[in-house]
Amino acid sequence: MTDKTPTDDEYALKAPELKKIPAPELDFRPPAPVSYSPKIALIGAGGIAGSHLDAYRAAGWDVAVIASRTLEKAESRRNEYFPEAVATDNVAGVLADPAIEVVDLTPYPDDRVSLMEAAINAGKHVLSQKPFVSDLAEGERLASLAEERGVKLAVNQNGRWSPHMAWMRNAVRTGIIGTPVGVHMAVHWDHSWIAGTPFEKIDDLILYDFGIHWFDFLISIVGDRARSVRATKCFGTGQAAKVAQFAQCIVELEGGQASLIFDGGTKFVTHATAFVGGTEGTLSSQGPDFGSQGVILTTRDGYSEPVLEGAWFNDGFRGAMGELLSAIEQDRTPVNGVRENLESLRLTFAAVRSSRCGEPVSVS
């Protein structure tokens, strides 16, 4: 054994010089069916419904009905986005209409379960808002019911089609960076607008309602390798909201690790980063907000910076519905299908439980 002084490169005190090379061509844009053009009904005309409808209008899809328990809300959305659509408060009538093939359900999870069940039993393909369910057993039951009825059930994990997440996911799935061994994401933003809104009633808002986007991205690139998670949450000094706005998680992976940091009460600036270290290369992204992220791919051959087009809002919503429509047309499982999303929820719920009990929680 001989003594050896590590070099600056080995100590990572000096980054190696790499040449810039062309980025690989990867499909990251929102998918769309080739010729399938069903009549779509949107049920639930609340706040997020505008993003759904704006995306569908841009895609040229046929939203035939907009339904809400409050007729005035349905009419307002209809008038703004799809003037030729029917606005109604008769949700049961919409589900019974044989002309409607696809239903987009936007209400909160506890209000949505019965609607999903009714839509599936009526033979409709369903896009469910996220988070899909608040109970895994209920989610398994709905997944099985959809399979029995022969309809597609997908989840509006719209973050999957934010340009940077879509490009990075496809880079991993095509094997460019080998097996991910370190995945680390951090988001810092001011979420104080939730003070005084119904969102304050969601005790685990940051991990459950917001963090699900990043838990889902993690599962989409590591699959079933998540083993356990340890999470904490806290209130930030001076925050007005009645629920914790800060949380962090460490996830044990089979053959690796991951971390997620959510600073939901930082003022003046929004910043987001993601890093995926693989056995054959790395991916990183950063930007001043969630919608403006640049990506760098690094391998032994050099580094590249793909040119990304679009934005999370509203390409993400266009991607979620477009993937469902494409899957129906091609008779395959959607990328945002319910079975994989249940794995994302399994990790999310483990993180929530860990934040409450103060101990690591098994994902299984």
Side-chain angles (χ1 to χ4, degrees):
M1 185 173 181
T2 60
D3 292 335
K4 178 189 175 189
T5 301
T7 66
D8 286 352
D9 288 349
E10 290 171 325
Y11 261 134
L13 297 174
K14 179 181 178 183
E17 293 186 8
L18 298 170
K19 64 179 180 178
K20 187 172 184 178
I21 59 177
E25 294 290 334
L26 296 176
D27 185 13
F28 68 94
R29 298 293 294 152
V34 175
S35 59
Y36 180 55
S37 183
K39 290 189 179 300
I40 300 169
L42 179 136
I43 297 177
I48 200 63
S51 295
H52 291 233
L53 294 170
D54 185 49
Y56 304 166
R57 179 177 59 182
W61 295 327
D62 184 4
V63 175
V65 179
I66 299 173
S68 173
R69 289 179 297 186
T70 305
L71 181 58
E72 291 77 11
K73 285 185 178 181
E75 291 174 335
S76 177
R77 295 297 189 188
R78 184 268 313 275
N79 295 342
E80 183 175 1
Y81 295 103
F82 285 91
E84 302 301 317
V86 173
T88 181
D89 57 2
N90 183 4
V91 174
V94 174
L95 297 180
D97 185 352
I100 299 298
E101 296 182 46
V102 177
V103 178
D104 181 7
L105 298 174
T106 71
Y108 290 114
D110 291 342
D111 297 327
R112 199 169 56 237
V113 168
S114 61
L115 290 173
M116 280 192 281
E117 184 170 9
I120 292 168
N121 280 324
K124 314 299 184 187
H125 303 287
V126 176
L127 179 66
S128 164
Q129 181 57 286
K130 64 82 197 167
F132 171 49
V133 289
S134 55
D135 180 84
L136 288 172
E138 196 74 79
E140 293 282 357
R141 185 181 68 81
L142 289 168
S144 297
L145 180 63
E147 291 163 357
E148 291 169 7
R149 300 297 186 188
V151 297
K152 310 294 184 187
L153 176 57
V155 181
N156 191 354
Q157 289 291 170
N158 46 78
R160 288 197 174 205
W161 285 277
S162 60
H164 69 289
M165 284 188 181
W167 202 95
M168 295 172 79
R169 182 182 69 248
N170 287 345
V172 171
R173 291 191 171 188
T174 54
I176 293 173
I177 67 164
T179 302
V181 291
V183 185
H184 306 284
M185 294 168 279
V187 289
H188 319 276
W189 80 110
D190 185 2
H191 212 50
S192 60
W193 64 268
I194 65 171
T197 74
F199 285 99
E200 274 190 315
K201 297 178 182 179
I202 304 175
D203 184 52
D204 297 292
L205 175 74
I206 295 301
L207 289 173
Y208 174 59
D209 190 76
F210 183 83
I212 184 65
H213 289 296
W214 283 266
F215 288 121
D216 182 71
F217 176 67
L218 176 59
I219 291 298
S220 77
I221 61 175
V222 303
D224 61 359
R225 295 171 54 209
R227 292 293 173 263
S228 67
V229 58
R230 179 159 194 163
T232 62
K233 63 180 180 180
C234 68
F235 287 78
T237 300
Q239 76 165 69
K242 297 177 181 178
V243 293
Q245 289 189 253
F246 293 78
Q248 58 184 343
C249 312
I250 297 293
V251 182
E252 178 192 359
L253 304 176
E254 179 184 329
Q257 65 174 1
S259 65
L260 302 93
I261 296 174
F262 305 111
D263 289 340
T266 55
K267 306 290 185 181
F268 312 116
V269 67
T270 298
H271 189 67
T273 62
F275 176 87
V276 183
T279 54
E280 301 294 331
T282 63
L283 292 159
S284 62
S285 74
Q286 65 174 337
D289 53 53
F290 306 141
S292 305
Q293 293 277 305
V295 173
I296 298 176
L297 165 68
T298 305
T299 66
R300 60 173 56 87
D301 296 325
Y303 75 95
S304 57
E305 299 175 272
V307 177
L308 303 180
E309 301 172 346
W312 186 332
F313 277 54
N314 285 334
D315 284 344
F317 298 91
R318 184 170 178 173
M321 176 59 81
E323 172 59 16
L324 173 59
L325 298 180
S326 298
I328 297 169
E329 182 178 58
Q330 300 166 22
D331 192 22
R332 60 171 175 79
T333 301
V335 169
N336 54 337
V338 65
R339 289 292 182 189
E340 184 172 298
N341 189 253
L342 284 171
E343 295 306 311
S344 302
L345 278 176
R346 207 177 304 280
L347 175 58
T348 304
F349 291 160
V352 168
R353 179 173 292 184
S354 175
S355 74
R356 294 175 177 178
C357 73
E359 299 290 339
V361 171
S362 170
V363 175
S364 62

